[in-house]
Amino acid sequence: MFRKLARAAAVLAACAALAGVQAGTAHAAGPSVLGGGSGIIVNDQGVCTLTTIGHDAAGRLVGITAGHCSIAGDTITAEANRDAGVVGTFAYSNLDMDYAVIAFDPDKVVPVNRVGNTTITGLGGPAQFPDVACKEGYTTGQTCGLAYGDLNQTNTWTWTQICVLPGDSGAPVVVGTTLVGMVNGYLRVPCLGPELGANIAAILDDINTRGGIGAGFHPI
């Protein structure tokens, strides 16, 4: 069974402990530093991972994450700076391709291109066999695995052997420092069954075709 990785409030504390992060730890208020791999809290309930952050063609500060994390209008708080309050809202969610666009408040966010052990310097892909792809997730940090490619010839989805757990939804998948996709779910058993994720090229093509917030996106 394919399982998506959105995190319910009831399991937030348990998954945070598994990740070695103490849920509910207070941080000083102020602008929140966010980049691909940062934990984001949705409506003060669930936690997902930001795929990337940057600007769209209109100069707006926007981000991308997994679509099953949210619906339009849901609010975003930075997991690492909860005291700062709401820093953005979901502008659009495509459940078919399982991605969402976030509109951030530029006065409340400091965008970065490196989180943990992952740096994003450009866009590309999708990952293909035998690439080694890595992801930076809220729960499991950086994990890497063999890319199997688009096994079903969808032009949208890529399979890898990257370890993912709940809370890693939306985590950026990179080959080197090139963003090639996001984490959307896993097959049957977490960290044993393969991971499935949407290709960033397909996501951006869809955003550009739709127009509006996010169109013309380029990362920090």
Side-chain angles (χ1 to χ4, degrees):
M1 179 182 294
F2 176 70
R3 299 178 184 273
K4 293 180 179 178
L5 296 167
R7 179 188 307 219
V11 299
L12 173 59
C15 288
L18 179 62
V21 178
Q22 182 179 353
T25 300
H27 299 273
S32 298
V33 178
L34 289 172
S38 295
I40 52 175
I41 303 174
V42 182
N43 281 348
D44 291 325
Q45 294 180 339
V47 176
C48 284
T49 302
L50 184 64
T51 308
T52 183
I53 192 169
H55 294 94
D56 66 9
R60 292 170 290 220
L61 185 63
V62 298
I64 299 170
T65 190
H68 64 265
C69 294
S70 66
I71 59 173
D74 285 349
T75 60
I76 293 292
T77 303
E79 190 283 327
N81 191 10
R82 302 184 186 200
D83 290 350
V86 173
V87 298
T89 58
F90 283 91
Y92 174 78
S93 185
N94 182 327
L95 296 182
D96 291 330
M97 295 181 66
D98 199 20
Y99 78 82
V101 176
I102 302 166
F104 285 111
D105 183 340
D107 294 329
K108 295 183 178 180
V109 174
V110 177
V112 295
N113 73 344
R114 181 176 178 85
V115 173
N117 294 312
T118 298
T119 301
I120 296 172
T121 60
L123 306 171
Q128 300 180 23
F129 181 85
D131 291 338
V132 174
C134 299
K135 75 96 183 65
E136 187 76 36
Y138 166 73
T139 303
T140 55
Q142 188 187 69
T143 58
C144 301
L146 184 67
Y148 301 125
D150 185 359
L151 298 178
N152 298 320
Q153 299 182 340
T154 62
N155 296 317
T156 301
W157 305 98
T158 295
W159 294 93
T160 77
Q161 199 56 53
I162 296 173
C163 171
V164 296
L165 289 174
D168 291 332
S169 285
V173 175
V174 299
V175 174
T177 61
T178 300
L179 178 65
V180 298
M182 71 165 63
V183 169
N184 294 93
Y186 60 85
L187 184 65
R188 297 184 183 277
V189 181
C191 290
L192 292 178
E195 173 268 341
L196 180 65
N199 302 326
I200 195 65
I203 291 170
L204 294 180
D205 283 347
D206 191 71
I207 293 173
N208 292 339
T209 299
R210 180 181 56 83
I213 297 176
F217 174 84
H218 55 92
I220 294 298

